[in-house]
Amino acid sequence: WETIRDLKDGLEEKVALRTKELEEALTERNQALAHLNQELAEATEYVRSILPQPISHGEIRINWKFVPSASLGGDAFGYYNLDEDHFVLYLIDVSGHGVGPAILMAFLHAHLRSLADVHTDLSELIVQANNLLERESPDQHFVTMLAAKFDFQTRTMAYVRCGHPPGFIMSAGGDVRVWMEEGSLPLGIMPDTQFPCSAPIQFHSGDIVVMVTDGILEAFSPEHVQFGIERTVQLVREHREQPAARIIEALRKAVGDYTARSGLSDDLTLVVIKVE
């Protein structure tokens, strides 16, 4: 009995010691998770802070919506003024989602602003951004982009598309009169890639310009069918007389309903521009 009692005491001592070690490890883990959540919250706030507010310039109204699939996302929408009559907006989508793509997105966003101080030509600016990204970004990531340069004097727009889903321009009557299909490779794949700019596109009163990331087009239904471009066009057509913000909200809701609220598999960003 003494031997059994000794074994029992020894076992209880080991169990108590192991329990204490597990409790300490759990405490450290919880502290680390709390610290990580705080950092994610701060990073999320920073990412949101660099995204612009809705823009109004004369007869042109620009609205946008960003919905990340995780705490942080790799989508971004930005713009900068060249002068009082010209400005550039861009929609970028870093491959993947989460912290890594969000950091890369912020990196590219900052450098686009810096490059814009030196390069007024949109094609040349994107060439320089691509070379920088190809040198500095991790090999597993690339970036698609759709950028547009606006001339308010002539009411025209020219665009550069880098592996991004094509945007489109819908007339007041509901017809898609322009597909933004001209394009080149995504950024960060090959150095010294050329990114030609389209010919200027004349705006007409009532035009609606729509630019989206593939999180919209590739949203899946429970039956694993993509939302797709046709549904996107039809929904814009049905809401074309409403303000840009309402069109965006209708699209966002339609995608949520289509996926049966099962959660996003990718970040989604929508840009809608209305010309009065």
Side-chain angles (χ1 to χ4, degrees), residues 132-150:
L132 177 67
L133 198 63
E134 198 277 332
R135 291 195 306 268
E136 302 294 338
S137 68
D139 292 339
Q140 69 269 27
H141 289 300
F142 60 87
V143 180
T144 70
M145 170 186 279
L146 182 56
K149 182 177 180 179
F150 292 80

Side-chain angles (χ1 to χ4, degrees), residues 9 16 100 123 140 161 204 220 222 234 261 265 269 273:
D9 293 342
S123 292
Q140 69 269 27
R161 186 172 74 91
H204 302 155
F220 286 99
Q234 181 59 28
R261 308 291 180 181
S265 60
T269 304
I273 304 165

